[in-house]
Amino acid sequence: AHIQFPGMLNVGEETLFRGWLLRETSAFIRNPLVLMVINGAVFSAAHLQFAPDAFLERSIMGAGFTYMTLRLGGVELSTGAHFANNLMIVLFLEPLTLKEPPSGPLASTDILIFAGLFLDNRLQRTWRDINSLAKHISVNWDAVSTMYGQHTFGLEPRGQY
């Protein structure tokens, strides 16, 4: 079940951003670079993580997915790349588990969205799981290649994070 969830997530995101949003913005804007910047920025903003480095990484990835869609005329490749990215996160960076995640300080978005809910609430846990899936690691070649090499040689994968 944990492999299917990231697959459904990336299909939905690619349909929304590279399907609907790209079609709507390309009706007014013909410059592919401008389309890539707009689509990448909106894609990054939708992940609700506004730290400059994370926002920039996600924007570049969204722009890359937009390029794939514009170049090939369909969302198939960007959907597959997005799935591979999410799969790397689930397998190596933050594996999904049945254990309850440790409680920590709440972020401002958690407080705004889930005001009045307890940390052990199922909805709160779902929010944390979705946020962990949103940390696209595949744009960091050093982290991914290090973990891949460790896995290939039978070592315990330890990323740079």
Side-chain angles (χ1 to χ4, degrees):
H2 64 280
I3 298 298
Q4 292 174 354
F5 180 70
M8 292 183 290
L9 184 65
N10 73 291
V11 169
E13 287 183 356
E14 290 305 308
T15 302
L16 176 65
F17 294 107
R18 261 59 72 189
W20 178 80
L21 179 64
L22 184 58
R23 185 185 65 218
E24 294 299 314
T25 53
S26 64
F28 302 102
I29 301 168
R30 297 289 182 203
N31 186 331
L33 291 176
V34 174
L35 288 170
M36 289 168 57
V37 169
I38 291 171
N39 200 285
V42 173
F43 174 73
S44 186
H47 284 84
L48 300 177
Q49 292 178 342
F50 298 102
D53 57 341
F55 190 85
L56 181 62
E57 287 176 359
R58 218 167 269 112
S59 294
I60 292 170
M61 187 170 59
F65 291 157
T66 303
Y67 174 78
M68 291 176 201
T69 302
L70 290 171
R71 181 82 168 112
L72 299 174
V75 297
E76 295 84 3
L77 180 61
S78 64
T79 302
H82 199 154
F83 174 76
N85 175 67
N86 289 353
L87 187 62
M88 293 293 282
I89 293 168
V90 170
L91 292 178
F92 295 114
L93 182 63
E94 294 188 27
L96 297 178
T97 177
L98 295 176
K99 293 180 183 178
E100 185 66 28
S103 299
L106 291 173
S108 60
T109 54
D110 293 332
I111 293 170
L112 291 174
I113 294 173
F114 295 109
L117 296 178
F118 296 106
L119 283 175
D120 60 349
N121 186 289
R122 183 179 217 162
L123 191 57
Q124 179 71 2
R125 178 166 182 225
T126 302
W127 174 253
R128 288 191 302 261
D129 288 347
I130 290 170
N131 275 319
S132 72
L133 289 171
K135 296 177 183 174
H136 300 287
I137 188 175
S138 68
V139 296
N140 185 335
W141 172 252
D142 293 333
V144 173
S145 61
T146 300
M147 289 185 291
Y148 175 77
Q150 291 166 343
H151 177 73
T152 300
F153 291 109
L155 302 172
E156 182 68 26
R158 293 182 314 218
Q160 296 178 355
Y161 298 100

